[in-house]
Amino acid sequence: MGSALPLGDPAPADGALPHDVPVDPAVDFGVYLHVPFCRVRCGYCDFNTYTATELRGARQDAYADEVLHEIALSREVLAAQGPLRPARTVFFGGGTPTLLPPGDLARMLDGIRGTFGLADGAEVTVEANPDTLTDEVAQTLAAAGVTRFSIGMQSSVPHVLAALDRTHDPANIATAVAAARKAGLAVSLDLIYGAPGESLEDWRTSLETAIALAPDHISAYALIVEDGTKLERQIRRGEVPAPDDDLQADMYELADELLAAAGYGWYEVSNWSTTPAQRSRHNLSYWRGQDWWGYGPGAHSHVGGLRWWNVKHPAAYAQRLALGESPAAGRERPDAEARRLEVILLRSRIVDGVAVDEATVAGRRNVASLIADGLVDGASAVRGRIVLTRRGRLLADAVVRALTE
């Protein structure tokens, strides 16, 4: 049911932010809407999601109204800090948002539109399972203002999908893409590599299948074994092998080669798009440290350097809102040094890079060796930016350590 919430200070029952939290009208404001429902739990997943047997009294059919209550509360909280900003991005994530009736998703989007407004050209994304994205769903959500689908393809190889406990029919990936295109929407495909039993040729097959569908954007994430998941227990018991780091590195290099040859440009360690306009603006807002409000159980928010997170379980979330209270469970305000390290961690992942001056004193001394090792682009460093090479993307954690020591 998701990883543990972070430690932090208690959040007030009314959700009010400290008076000195700045609301900068020049900083973009985004919205994340968490839909925590899934038909089955995938063995690798530690997201805050729940199957029908895990809801313990929470009602899926009441969820849209509960989120609308939090949206109304958020307006009061943010209006007390300063002028409200229109949402430049909206992202429905999960879980499986398309398990809800499309009318419920549309009502939640209308709640954001009526409360904050949507900026001109706002990006509105809905994550979708291929089995749940039909022509009717796509048309209804397009009419409601959705602009983009992020489809959980993961793989096109049946035994790899089985290893991940994914239940969708591979044939429905093309059907889902066609439905989105028919509705006039942009398409992203999400892939995972490194599943137990997946070979390099299996991965090539999935990449080539994804490219043939001509999406606007492709995400390719290395499988990570999270504590407490079914996959972690299977590996610990010796039932399946752990991911092979060398094989995953080969898979990443293959992805970058094939995607580049097909006209996709990388812009974040695990993300590629056909053009800069097709990059995920919502995810870029996270990496660039902009402001967002996350609605729903376990959702995280960030405004003016303050972070907070909601209670995890849908029943606890509903109960708080029914009592007229904020669902926020805790919050934190990182100090200047912690924020500087976070800037390096996040911005070094994207194609824009991070300013050399953001590194620690020791980190700036390490830039020359990072260039010599082929981890950082030398020409960009001369211009004052640290931009990762392909090898640097593979070893991004090592680069961050070198820049922050």
Side-chain angles (χ1 to χ4, degrees), residues 375-400:
L375 303 178
V376 167
D377 177 65
S380 298
V382 169
R383 296 192 295 270
R385 306 294 297 180
I386 296 168
V387 177
L388 302 180
T389 62
R390 179 193 291 169
R391 175 174 164 77
R393 286 178 262 151
L394 277 168
L395 300 172
D397 290 345
V399 175
V400 169

Side-chain angles (χ1 to χ4, degrees), residues 230-303:
K230 174 185 172 183
L231 178 61
E232 184 268 335
R233 293 190 295 273
Q234 289 175 315
I235 291 172
R236 180 161 32 86
R237 293 192 296 257
E239 296 170 3
V240 298
D244 183 304
D245 291 343
D246 290 336
L247 178 57
Q248 284 192 324
D250 291 341
M251 290 175 164
Y252 183 86
E253 291 183 334
L254 179 62
D256 199 43
E257 290 169 5
L258 294 183
L259 292 170
Y264 292 85
W266 87 271
Y267 70 94
E268 191 276 338
V269 168
S270 301
N271 290 273
W272 292 258
S273 64
T274 52
T275 67
Q278 294 292 351
R279 295 171 181 171
S280 171
R281 284 186 274 146
H282 185 81
N283 287 338
L284 280 168
S285 73
Y286 296 152
W287 297 317
R288 290 171 174 163
Q290 294 168 346
D291 289 347
W292 70 90
W293 192 297
Y295 299 91
H300 288 233
S301 303
H302 170 259
V303 172

Side-chain angles (χ1 to χ4, degrees), residues 74-157:
S74 70
R75 187 192 190 286
E76 295 180 13
V77 169
L78 291 176
Q81 303 301 119
L84 297 177
R85 292 166 289 175
R88 295 196 173 275
T89 64
V90 178
F91 195 102
F92 289 85
T96 309
T98 44
L99 278 183
L100 289 182
D104 282 4
L105 300 180
R107 286 201 297 126
M108 288 169 8
L109 182 56
D110 279 344
I112 297 299
R113 184 184 287 111
T115 300
F116 301 107
L118 295 179
D120 291 342
E123 175 193 271
V124 181
T125 302
V126 174
E127 287 186 338
N129 180 294
D131 286 346
T132 60
L133 181 48
T134 64
D135 283 347
E136 180 183 1
V137 169
Q139 295 287 347
T140 300
L141 293 179
V146 171
T147 65
R148 182 175 181 269
F149 277 111
S150 181
I151 299 172
M153 174 179 172
Q154 316 312 351
S155 174
S156 64
V157 179

Side-chain angles (χ1 to χ4, degrees), residues 323-400:
L323 294 172
E325 297 178 357
S326 166
R331 66 190 189 187
E332 65 182 3
R333 198 170 187 177
D335 61 23
E337 181 61 16
R339 290 188 63 79
R340 182 163 75 114
L341 297 180
E342 186 176 81
V343 165
I344 296 171
L345 173 66
L346 295 177
R347 296 193 186 178
S348 64
R349 295 180 59 88
I350 60 178
V351 69
D352 300 339
V354 64
V356 172
D357 290 346
E358 294 283 359
T360 62
V361 173
R364 291 195 290 273
R365 288 197 297 264
N366 288 336
V367 171
S369 63
L370 291 171
I371 294 170
D373 291 339
L375 303 178
V376 167
D377 177 65
S380 298
V382 169
R383 296 192 295 270
R385 306 294 297 180
I386 296 168
V387 177
L388 302 180
T389 62
R390 179 193 291 169
R391 175 174 164 77
R393 286 178 262 151
L394 277 168
L395 300 172
D397 290 345
V399 175
V400 169

